Coordinates of all heavy atoms in Angstrom, one line a residue:
S153 N 0.9 14.2 1.0 CA 0.3 15.3 1.8 C -0.7 16.1 0.9 O -0.8 15.9 -0.3 CB 1.4 16.2 2.3 OG 2.0 16.9 1.2
Q154 N -1.4 16.9 1.6 CA -2.3 17.9 0.9 C -1.5 18.7 0.0 O -2.0 19.1 -1.1 CB -3.0 18.7 1.9 CG -4.1 19.7 1.3 CD -5.2 18.9 0.6 OE1 -5.6 17.8 1.0 NE2 -5.7 19.6 -0.4
A155 N -0.2 19.0 0.3 CA 0.6 19.9 -0.6 C 0.8 19.2 -1.9 O 0.9 19.9 -3.0 CB 1.9 20.1 0.1
T156 N 0.9 17.9 -1.9 CA 1.1 17.2 -3.2 C -0.1 17.4 -4.1 O 0.0 17.6 -5.3 CB 1.3 15.7 -3.0 OG1 2.4 15.5 -2.1 CG2 1.6 14.9 -4.3
L157 N -1.3 17.3 -3.6 CA -2.5 17.6 -4.4 C -2.6 19.0 -4.8 O -2.9 19.3 -6.0 CB -3.7 17.2 -3.5 CG -5.1 17.5 -4.2 CD1 -5.2 16.7 -5.5 CD2 -6.2 17.1 -3.2
E158 N -2.2 19.9 -4.0 CA -2.2 21.3 -4.4 C -1.2 21.6 -5.5 O -1.5 22.3 -6.5 CB -1.8 22.2 -3.2 CG -1.8 23.7 -3.5 CD -1.3 24.6 -2.3 OE1 -1.0 24.0 -1.2 OE2 -1.3 25.8 -2.5
I159 N 0.0 20.9 -5.4 CA 1.0 21.0 -6.5 C 0.4 20.4 -7.8 O 0.6 21.0 -8.8 CB 2.2 20.3 -6.1 CG1 3.0 21.0 -4.9 CG2 3.2 20.0 -7.2 CD1 4.1 20.2 -4.3
A160 N -0.2 19.3 -7.7 CA -0.7 18.6 -8.9 C -1.8 19.4 -9.6 O -1.8 19.5 -10.8 CB -1.2 17.2 -8.5
R161 N -2.6 20.1 -8.8 CA -3.7 20.9 -9.4 C -3.2 22.1 -10.2 O -3.8 22.5 -11.1 CB -4.7 21.3 -8.3 CG -5.6 20.2 -7.8 CD -6.5 20.7 -6.7 NE -7.5 19.7 -6.3 CZ -8.1 19.6 -5.2 NH1 -7.7 20.4 -4.2 NH2 -9.0 18.7 -4.9
A162 N -2.0 22.6 -9.8 CA -1.5 23.8 -10.4 C -0.4 23.5 -11.5 O 0.0 24.4 -12.1 CB -0.8 24.7 -9.3
S163 N -0.2 22.2 -11.7 CA 0.9 21.9 -12.6 C 0.4 21.4 -14.0 O -0.6 20.8 -14.1 CB 1.8 20.8 -12.0 OG 2.4 21.2 -10.8
N164 N 1.2 21.7 -15.0 CA 0.9 21.2 -16.3 C 1.3 19.7 -16.4 O 0.6 19.0 -17.2 CB 1.7 22.0 -17.4 CG 1.3 23.5 -17.4 OD1 2.1 24.3 -16.8 ND2 0.2 23.9 -17.9
L165 N 2.3 19.3 -15.7 CA 2.8 18.0 -15.7 C 3.3 17.6 -14.3 O 4.0 18.4 -13.7 CB 3.9 17.8 -16.8 CG 4.5 16.4 -17.0 CD1 3.4 15.5 -17.5 CD2 5.7 16.5 -17.9
V166 N 3.0 16.4 -13.9 CA 3.4 15.9 -12.6 C 4.2 14.6 -12.9 O 3.7 13.7 -13.4 CB 2.3 15.6 -11.6 CG1 2.8 15.1 -10.3 CG2 1.4 16.8 -11.4
V167 N 5.5 14.7 -12.5 CA 6.4 13.5 -12.7 C 6.7 12.9 -11.3 O 7.1 13.6 -10.4 CB 7.7 13.9 -13.4 CG1 8.6 12.7 -13.6 CG2 7.4 14.6 -14.8
Q168 N 6.5 11.6 -11.3 CA 6.9 10.9 -10.0 C 8.0 9.9 -10.4 O 7.8 8.9 -11.0 CB 5.7 10.1 -9.4 CG 6.0 9.5 -8.1 CD 4.9 8.8 -7.4 OE1 5.0 8.3 -6.3 NE2 3.7 8.7 -8.1
P169 N 9.2 10.2 -9.9 CA 10.3 9.2 -10.1 C 10.1 8.0 -9.2 O 9.6 8.1 -8.1 CB 11.6 10.0 -9.7 CG 11.2 11.4 -9.7 CD 9.7 11.4 -9.3
T170 N 10.5 6.8 -9.6 CA 10.4 5.6 -8.8 C 11.5 4.7 -9.1 O 12.0 4.6 -10.3 CB 9.1 4.9 -9.0 OG1 9.0 3.8 -8.1 CG2 8.8 4.5 -10.4
G171 N 11.9 3.9 -8.1 CA 12.9 2.8 -8.4 C 12.1 1.6 -8.9 O 10.9 1.6 -9.1
A172 N 12.8 0.5 -9.0 CA 12.3 -0.7 -9.6 C 11.7 -1.7 -8.7 O 11.0 -2.7 -9.1 CB 13.3 -1.4 -10.5
S173 N 12.0 -1.6 -7.4 CA 11.5 -2.6 -6.4 C 10.1 -2.4 -6.1 O 9.5 -1.3 -6.3 CB 12.3 -2.4 -5.1 OG 11.9 -1.3 -4.4
L174 N 9.4 -3.4 -5.7 CA 8.0 -3.3 -5.4 C 7.8 -2.4 -4.2 O 6.7 -1.8 -4.0 CB 7.4 -4.7 -5.1 CG 7.2 -5.6 -6.3 CD1 6.6 -6.9 -5.9 CD2 6.2 -4.9 -7.3
D175 N 8.8 -2.3 -3.3 CA 8.7 -1.3 -2.2 C 8.6 0.1 -2.7 O 8.1 1.0 -2.0 CB 10.0 -1.5 -1.3 CG 9.9 -2.7 -0.5 OD1 8.9 -3.3 -0.3 OD2 11.0 -3.1 0.0
D176 N 9.2 0.4 -3.9 CA 9.0 1.7 -4.5 C 7.8 1.8 -5.3 O 7.0 2.8 -5.3 CB 10.2 2.0 -5.4 CG 11.5 2.3 -4.6 OD1 11.4 2.7 -3.4 OD2 12.6 2.0 -5.1
L177 N 7.5 0.8 -6.1 CA 6.5 0.8 -7.2 C 5.1 0.8 -6.5 O 4.2 1.6 -7.0 CB 6.6 -0.4 -8.1 CG 7.8 -0.4 -9.0 CD1 8.0 -1.7 -9.7 CD2 7.7 0.7 -10.0
R178 N 4.8 0.0 -5.5 CA 3.5 -0.1 -5.0 C 3.0 1.3 -4.4 O 1.9 1.7 -4.7 CB 3.4 -1.2 -4.0 CG 3.4 -2.6 -4.6 CD 3.5 -3.6 -3.5 NE 3.4 -5.0 -4.1 CZ 3.9 -6.1 -3.6 NH1 4.6 -6.0 -2.5 NH2 3.8 -7.3 -4.2
P179 N 3.8 1.9 -3.5 CA 3.3 3.2 -2.9 C 3.3 4.3 -4.0 O 2.5 5.2 -3.9 CB 4.3 3.5 -1.8 CG 5.5 2.6 -2.1 CD 5.0 1.4 -2.8
A180 N 4.2 4.2 -5.0 CA 4.2 5.2 -6.0 C 2.9 5.1 -6.8 O 2.3 6.2 -7.1 CB 5.4 5.0 -7.0
V181 N 2.4 3.9 -7.1 CA 1.1 3.8 -7.8 C 0.0 4.3 -6.9 O -0.9 5.0 -7.4 CB 0.9 2.3 -8.3 CG1 -0.5 2.1 -8.7 CG2 1.9 2.0 -9.4
R182 N 0.0 4.0 -5.7 CA -1.0 4.4 -4.8 C -1.1 5.9 -4.7 O -2.1 6.5 -4.6 CB -0.8 3.8 -3.4 CG -1.1 2.4 -3.2 CD -1.3 1.9 -1.8 NE 0.0 2.0 -1.1 CZ 0.8 0.9 -1.0 NH1 0.4 -0.3 -1.5 NH2 1.9 1.0 -0.3
E183 N 0.1 6.6 -4.8 CA 0.2 8.0 -4.8 C -0.6 8.6 -6.0 O -1.4 9.5 -5.8 CB 1.6 8.5 -4.8 CG 1.8 10.0 -5.0 CD 1.6 10.8 -3.7 OE1 1.2 10.2 -2.7 OE2 2.0 12.0 -3.6
F184 N -0.3 8.1 -7.2 CA -1.0 8.6 -8.4 C -2.5 8.2 -8.3 O -3.4 9.0 -8.8 CB -0.4 8.0 -9.6 CG 0.7 8.9 -10.2 CD1 1.1 10.1 -9.5 CD2 1.4 8.6 -11.3 CE1 2.1 11.0 -10.0 CE2 2.4 9.4 -11.8 CZ 2.7 10.6 -11.2
H185 N -2.8 7.0 -7.8 CA -4.3 6.7 -7.7 C -5.0 7.7 -6.8 O -6.1 8.1 -7.1 CB -4.4 5.3 -7.0 CG -4.2 4.1 -8.0 ND1 -4.1 4.3 -9.3 CD2 -4.0 2.8 -7.7 CE1 -3.9 3.1 -9.9 NE2 -3.8 2.2 -8.9
A186 N -4.3 8.1 -5.8 CA -4.9 9.1 -4.8 C -5.2 10.4 -5.6 O -6.2 11.1 -5.4 CB -4.1 9.3 -3.6
L187 N -4.2 10.8 -6.4 CA -4.4 12.1 -7.2 C -5.5 12.0 -8.2 O -6.3 12.9 -8.3 CB -3.1 12.4 -7.9 CG -1.9 12.8 -7.0 CD1 -0.7 13.1 -7.8 CD2 -2.2 14.1 -6.1
V188 N -5.6 10.8 -8.8 CA -6.7 10.6 -9.8 C -8.0 10.7 -9.1 O -9.0 11.3 -9.5 CB -6.5 9.3 -10.6 CG1 -7.7 9.0 -11.4 CG2 -5.3 9.4 -11.5
T189 N -8.1 10.0 -7.9 CA -9.4 10.0 -7.2 C -9.8 11.4 -6.8 O -10.9 11.7 -6.7 CB -9.2 9.1 -5.9 OG1 -8.9 7.8 -6.3 CG2 -10.4 9.1 -5.0
A190 N -8.7 12.3 -6.5 CA -9.0 13.7 -6.1 C -9.3 14.6 -7.4 O -9.5 15.8 -7.2 CB -7.8 14.2 -5.4
G191 N -9.3 14.0 -8.6 CA -9.7 14.8 -9.7 C -8.6 15.2 -10.7 O -8.8 15.9 -11.7

């Protein structure tokens, strides 16, 4: 959500927990890719 980006911009460190299945890993990586794309 937009809230995730707002949180990331204000944080010194952003930690994303994930499980080991590809069902967890693939969307988790996409989430961080989106944050990087947003700056």
Side-chain angles (χ1 to χ4, degrees):
S153 66
Q154 183 63 30
T156 303
L157 179 57
E158 182 183 0
I159 289 167
R161 284 176 171 155
S163 299
N164 302 101
L165 182 67
V166 179
V167 179
Q168 185 178 186
T170 180
S173 74
L174 287 177
D175 287 343
D176 290 332
L177 293 168
R178 285 171 176 156
V181 167
R182 285 196 292 266
E183 173 81 349
F184 269 1
H185 281 347
L187 292 179
V188 171
T189 299

